[in-house]
Amino acid sequence: MGDRAQRDAEFSAYMEARQASLLRTAYLISGDRHTAEDLVQTALAKLYLAWDRVEDRGSLDGYVRRVIVNEHNSLWRRPFKRREHATDQVPEQAAPTPSSSAGGRDEELWDLVQTLPRKQRAAVVLRYYEELSEAETAEVLGVSVGTVKSQTSRALAALRSRSGDLFDTAGTTQEDR
């Protein structure tokens, strides 16, 4: 097998193994299924172009997450006209959320997470969904550990204050007590 064929096979194996997880992460960060698909596609395209330069294969997920976050942040810098597209038809139903099959509290929590500012939402998703450490989250977001701590703290405080009866101040559900 030639170098290029081997390279393509390695990349394809990585993409097949990680695409679903990356798509979930992108969806949680963006809140939109189509945007998440675009983010992952862009991130994987950039990874493909950089594949030969990435020496530490263990850092691939971090690299791709960083591209997803950066691309999502750049969406907000683009003019509004380019982000919105008019259509002739209005969708009949909202796109499913990651927890729509679980229903109930999970869906309500997801709705609350979507109300967070994008930086806080990204910090919460990376810390608690992706289970990254504060240092890893800071690296992906390109900020200091202190910023991750403050963004996460503010996000959790906002979620607690908005949750009403869904969660108590300790973060446990009312039904779990």
Side-chain angles (χ1 to χ4, degrees), residues 3 7 10 47-55 57:
D3 287 341
R7 172 184 187 241
E10 288 174 1
L47 174 62
Y48 181 79
L49 294 174
W51 190 259
D52 293 331
R53 293 188 311 265
V54 179
E55 293 176 15
R57 295 293 190 220

Side-chain angles (χ1 to χ4, degrees), residues 112-117 120 155 157-166:
L112 288 173
V113 169
Q114 289 300 298
T115 66
L116 295 172
Q120 290 179 12
L159 290 174
R160 284 186 192 108
S161 71
R162 295 174 188 164
S163 66
D165 293 333
L166 183 60

Side-chain angles (χ1 to χ4, degrees), residues 119 123 138 143-154:
K119 290 180 182 179
V143 298
S144 70
V145 172
T147 299
V148 169
K149 289 179 180 181
S150 66
Q151 290 290 328
T152 304
S153 176
R154 288 182 190 133

Side-chain angles (χ1 to χ4, degrees), residues 1-44:
M1 187 182 307
D3 287 341
R4 184 179 175 103
Q6 182 178 348
R7 172 184 187 241
D8 289 350
E10 288 174 1
F11 177 79
S12 293
Y14 172 80
M15 186 177 73
E16 288 177 30
R18 300 299 300 148
Q19 189 169 12
S21 175
L22 295 169
L23 186 58
R24 281 190 300 271
T25 300
Y27 177 78
L28 291 171
I29 289 172
S30 69
D32 178 72
R33 182 182 53 166
H34 300 291
T35 301
E37 290 169 354
D38 290 345
L39 291 170
V40 171
Q41 182 177 4
T42 299
L44 289 174

Side-chain angles (χ1 to χ4, degrees), residues 67-136:
V67 173
I68 288 170
V69 169
N70 288 346
E71 286 296 315
H72 182 254
N73 288 343
S74 72
L75 287 175
W76 293 100
R77 295 182 191 115
R78 295 179 187 150
F80 183 74
K81 276 184 164 179
R82 289 189 223 154
R83 287 187 293 178
E84 298 293 324
H85 302 284
T87 63
D88 292 345
Q89 298 175 355
V90 176
E92 291 185 21
Q93 62 183 9
T97 63
S99 61
S100 61
S101 60
R105 292 183 323 234
D106 291 343
E107 221 170 295
E108 290 177 46
L109 179 59
W110 175 244
D111 290 341
L112 288 173
V113 169
Q114 289 300 298
T115 66
L116 295 172
R118 63 184 174 82
K119 290 180 182 179
Q120 290 179 12
R121 185 170 61 232
V124 167
V125 168
L126 293 172
R127 283 285 291 132
Y128 299 106
Y129 177 76
E130 286 288 325
E131 298 179 354
L132 298 182
S133 69
E134 289 170 340
E136 292 168 327

